[in-house]
């Protein structure tokens, strides 16, 4: 089996080779005194190896507390940052995603060797990737369901996030459908609470979608939030499918990796992976994970559509990071079939279309807008139209203001929303 | 249903009431423009409420990037820290642990309102807690299995972490058993890799434990690491039980919450919850979670034994934080039955016994030592003896050096290991 390669950014008061060796040691055979059973041949077969060290800047103050100080270390001139590649024998992990997580991350984040440690990227061995089904639908399968090609799928989130009854939700979706959307999703804050059980909600929503399809021939994807315990998710998945539904949504960090793996085994429809909770794992730049690394666990487990935030979003993430994530989601891990569809959202309207298109280089994405659709002065249909016009302009390389000259909905949007 | 109360520490350039309101808004109905369907009565029924704000210090530099700057905010004099309590209507979540996670955490960590946001504590409504089974064995059930009372359980980790075959593992365990341990666990880096499948390893290890029991009448708990996909874990659990095993170990952050919930439904033996990966969620003091809050999700799901690190550990965590975590694990959530047994480890030997005992106020814990047992100059049996002697001294309030006068193994340990 191939080796697992993991790329970290570290910050450490130790000489870099010593710090990198601490990663390799901790994740193959660390303890605080030498123990007899650790023989050399075992080390050779199962030991982790430092492959590359690239020194970066040195900083005076540690980013994270709890690390040793430079004063405690010989020859230390501060906290050095570096990129480090460590490889692990594939057979230490076998073909197991959760055990991959433990090996490339695990206890490393707590080592006193480091005042910063962040997992930037992983090369997952093909044998491990192949042991998991990956996305069942991905970009192509998602497009096929709604029969939309050559532009991003345009979608919205059912708001208010919480409180609508199934009947009210169905009614609201009925109104939204008039706007000619491709995709509608639940908010992550509503799964199957007592006031809106999945079964009732999906029945009401699919009733509205069925009527709309009968009238127009158009298919709309509804990502129904089935987040819950494993048996609940499987049952809710079946309720979705039985109601004619075509997508399930899961808060991937809340249910966790192995629950998503289990859902995928059972799933007949795409899995829309919401990443709420991601900030806790990523917002400190010298701790946790880059999405490029982290999302791979859930993609291999079977996520078809994966949230990546959006350009000029209302959250804290930089545009550079958003695009890096979206590109990663579209990049094969072990085969061309394992790519997923990035989901852009948060403060999105026509404003960000051109920059998103240029940075990503394609239109294989889901573009979600809340206020960008519902808040359009001329109503949701105009909201959706302005988004399609914005993307048309982006794809044709026409400046927004110029395109707005003969596109009313776009023009109204440009006057209404704040450009950022 | 009762309201869910969540206590956060925040850091924000905004006036504190505005910042706290942003938490409540985001986690019940946030979007970047007003939307029509959000009526007042719905807000009343489903809205989150700011319950308390306690101002703390103001800092000049933001801990986390991506927040708005004080210059962008009227009347801001820097980044203010505060403790904030927000309550959420219980019916927004229903009786669902993963949806509790999304509601009290979720997108909050990414808001630009904050240069720091950490979840400190949660009051889980009784109805939600009662919907989950919680620990099946906990402190009492764990003690009953090994028939040890009135002192901590003494355990060790099988090392080297990776590379031993099942036969080699069984042999090593056979040797360790001579030391008169209560508990032996796998390292988190070995689950069921090709060179040591759970079924073979547990058979070999339980063979050794069976022989030992036949000879001595003593029971030893073996936490076999079954971390994997859900179906793998259930199958491995059965293999453990069929081999006469009495504990399964899971890397809880790697498999995730709903997988642990599913395992608990199926489990006939205690679940030993390893928390590797925890550092990524906790090491930045102004981001992520306190264990006091976070561990509750997994405890309610069914973890019986939960890692809390140890006093003067080799990792970055402070003693204060370790003890706070351990106390939290022992504190009832909804009933006295839902407490779990804290697992102390990392660099532990007799040195930390007295301080651990004094700070925790009881001996209901698992005390794991690797080098503290295997590295004892007179061998593992002396290693275990010195730990028991150390805890005896702690419980009787006798200084270590004094107790060592007539306890050979403790005396040798005091000469050998480095006091910290």
């Amino acid at each position: 089996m191939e080796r697992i390669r993991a790329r970290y950014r570290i910050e450490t008061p130790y000489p870099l080779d010593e710090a990198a060796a601490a990663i390799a040691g901790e994740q193959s055979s660390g303890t605080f005194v030498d123990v007899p059973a650790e023989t050399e041949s075992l080390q050779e077969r199962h030991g982790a190896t430092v492959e590359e060290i690239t020194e970066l800047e040195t900083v005076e103050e540690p980013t994270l507390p709890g690390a040793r100080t430079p004063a405690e270390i010989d020859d230390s001139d501060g906290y050095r940052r570096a990129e480090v590649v460590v490889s692990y024998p594939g057979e230490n992990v076998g073909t197991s995603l959760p055990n991959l997580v433990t090996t490339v991350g695990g206890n490393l984040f707590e080592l006193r060797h480091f005042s910063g440690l962040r997992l930037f990227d992983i090369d997952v061995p093909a044998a491990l990737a192949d042991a998991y089904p990956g996305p069942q639908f991905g970009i192509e399968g998602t497009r096929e369901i709604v029969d939309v090609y050559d532009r991003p799928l345009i979608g919205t989130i059912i708001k208010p996030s919480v409180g609508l009854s199934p009947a009210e939700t169905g009614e609201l979706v009925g109104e939204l459908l008039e706007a000619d959307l491709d995709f509608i999703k639940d908010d992550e804050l509503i799964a199957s609470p007592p006031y809106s059980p999945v079964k009732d909600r999906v029945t009401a929503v699919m009733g509205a979608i069925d009527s709309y399809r009968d009238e127009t021939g158009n298919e709309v994807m509804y990502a129904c939030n089935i987040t819950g315990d494993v048996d609940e998710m499987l049952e809710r998945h079946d309720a979705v499918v039985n109601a004619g539904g075509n997508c399930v949504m899961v808060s991937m960090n809340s249910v966790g990796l192995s629950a998503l793996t289990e859902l995928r085994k059972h799933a007949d429809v795409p899995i829309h992976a919401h990443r709420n909770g991601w900030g806790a794992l990523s917002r400190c730049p010298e701790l946790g994970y880059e999405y490029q690394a982290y999302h791979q666990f859930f993609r291999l487990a079977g996520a078809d559509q994966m949230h990546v935030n959006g350009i000029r979003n209302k959250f804290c993430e930089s545009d550079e990071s958003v695009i890096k994530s979206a590109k990663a989601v579209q990049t094969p891990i072990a085969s061309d079939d394992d790519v997923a569809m990035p989901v852009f959202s948060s403060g999105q309207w026509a404003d960000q279309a051109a920059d998103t298109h240029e940075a990503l280089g394609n239109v294989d994405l889901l573009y979600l807008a809340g206020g960008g659709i519902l808040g359009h002065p001329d109503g949701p249909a105009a909201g959706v139209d302005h988004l399609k016009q914005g993307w048309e302009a982006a794809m044709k390389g026409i400046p927004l203001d110029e395109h707005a000259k003969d596109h009313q909905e776009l023009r109204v949007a440009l006057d209404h929303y704040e450009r950022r």
Side-chain angles (χ1 to χ4, degrees), chain A:
Chain A
M1 203 173 154
E2 294 163 70
R3 292 179 77 84
I4 301 153
R5 286 168 61 94
R7 185 159 60 88
Y8 304 90
R9 191 168 67 199
I10 61 170
E11 181 185 292
T12 177
Y14 282 84
L16 292 176
D17 54 348
E18 232 176 281
I23 297 179
E26 176 68 21
Q27 293 308 84
S28 60
S29 60
T31 182
F32 79 113
V33 292
D34 286 338
V35 293
E38 209 160 306
T39 65
E40 206 168 321
S41 77
L42 185 145
Q43 271 286 20
E44 246 165 59
R45 238 179 20 250
H46 294 281
T49 307
V50 177
E51 302 282 353
E52 287 175 39
I53 298 175
T54 310
E55 184 160 0
L56 304 169
E57 69 277 18
T58 296
V59 294
E60 278 178 33
E61 296 296 324
T63 300
L64 299 170
R68 297 214 180 278
T69 62
E72 294 175 289
I73 317 291
D74 283 347
D75 291 330
S76 180
D77 55 355
Y79 298 90
R80 288 176 208 164
R81 291 185 180 158
E83 263 195 25
V84 166
V85 176
V86 176
S87 75
Y88 306 92
E91 75 163 338
N92 285 13
V93 169
T95 53
S96 171
L97 276 179
N99 292 300
L100 175 68
V101 177
T102 288
T103 295
V104 298
N107 281 342
L108 287 178
F109 305 104
E110 296 182 60
L111 291 189
R112 300 191 66 196
H113 281 79
F114 303 101
S115 54
L117 187 140
R118 188 171 174 99
L119 180 62
F120 259 61
D121 205 3
I122 324 165
D123 285 350
V124 181
L128 201 167
D130 289 346
Y132 285 83
Q136 185 176 185
F137 292 85
I139 295 167
E140 229 168 291
T142 297
R143 285 196 177 285
E144 272 171 27
I145 290 172
V146 291
D147 196 26
V148 171
Y149 302 89
D150 305 322
R151 64 165 174 81
L153 269 55
I154 305 294
T156 196
I157 302 115
I158 299 171
K159 297 270 183 184
S161 317
V162 292
L164 295 182
S165 70
E168 286 167 337
T169 309
E171 228 171 281
L172 180 59
V173 167
E175 290 164 25
L176 290 174
L177 289 168
E178 300 301 322
D180 202 14
L181 286 151
D182 307 313
F183 185 94
I184 295 177
K185 70 178 271 293
D186 285 327
D187 192 271
E188 77 273 16
L189 294 173
I190 186 166
S192 197
Y195 69 88
S196 182
V198 159
K199 200 179 165 186
D200 299 342
R201 189 170 74 247
V202 73
T203 303
V205 169
M206 290 315 297
I209 291 178
D210 289 346
S211 304
Y212 174 75
R213 190 193 310 106
D214 289 347
E215 276 170 40
T216 62
N218 294 341
E219 187 63 284
V220 174
M221 187 172 283
Y222 166 51
C224 182
N225 185 2
I226 64 166
T227 300
D229 299 342
V230 170
D231 49 359
E232 290 173 342
M233 287 198 290
L234 301 189
E235 199 184 304
R236 291 172 194 164
H237 165 275
D238 292 349
V240 167
V241 171
N242 289 338
N246 48 22
C247 187
V248 291
M249 163 172 154
V250 168
S251 291
M252 66 182 188
N253 298 313
S254 299
V255 302
L257 180 58
S258 298
L260 194 126
T261 303
E262 186 66 14
L263 173 62
R264 166 65 177 88
K265 286 180 184 165
H266 185 85
D268 293 327
V269 293
I271 297 171
H272 181 92
H274 197 285
R275 70 172 193 181
N276 65 81
W278 167 240
L281 290 160
S282 64
R283 187 160 173 193
C284 176
E286 307 301 332
L287 179 66
Y289 299 90
E290 287 283 302
Y291 200 58
Q292 185 179 0
Y294 184 79
H295 92 282
Q296 292 190 39
F297 305 133
F298 288 89
R299 172 143 68 106
L300 288 173
D304 292 288
Q305 302 156 3
M306 304 195 77
H307 278 245
V308 298
N309 213 340
I311 282 194
R312 296 193 282 286
N313 58 77
K314 66 174 179 171
F315 294 114
C316 60
E317 191 176 1
S318 72
D319 294 348
E320 189 194 345
S321 169
V322 169
I323 293 300
K324 195 177 131 187
S325 298
K327 283 185 172 170
V329 168
Q330 292 181 340
T331 302
I333 296 172
S335 89
D336 290 348
D337 291 338
D338 67 21
V339 298
M341 188 171 234
V343 181
F344 285 73
S345 67
S346 181
Q348 302 298 294
W349 60 288
D351 180 46
Q352 296 102 329
D355 290 339
T356 304
H357 180 249
E358 194 189 325
L360 192 63
N362 63 61
V363 293
D364 288 332
L365 61 107
L366 236 161
Y367 199 68
L368 300 185
I373 290 174
L374 304 182
H376 193 287
D378 297 334
V384 171
D385 281 344
H386 111 267
L387 287 174
K388 289 180 182 168
Q389 291 160 7
W391 272 96
E392 195 180 57
M395 289 185 282
K396 290 183 174 167
I398 305 169
L400 271 190
D401 290 306
E402 199 181 313
H403 204 59
K405 282 180 191 159
D406 47 5
H407 291 87
Q408 159 87 0
E409 294 79 5
L410 181 56
R411 188 154 42 81
V412 171
L414 290 173
D415 290 342
H416 176 70
Y417 297 111
E418 190 192 349
R419 285 204 216 189
R420 286 178 299 174

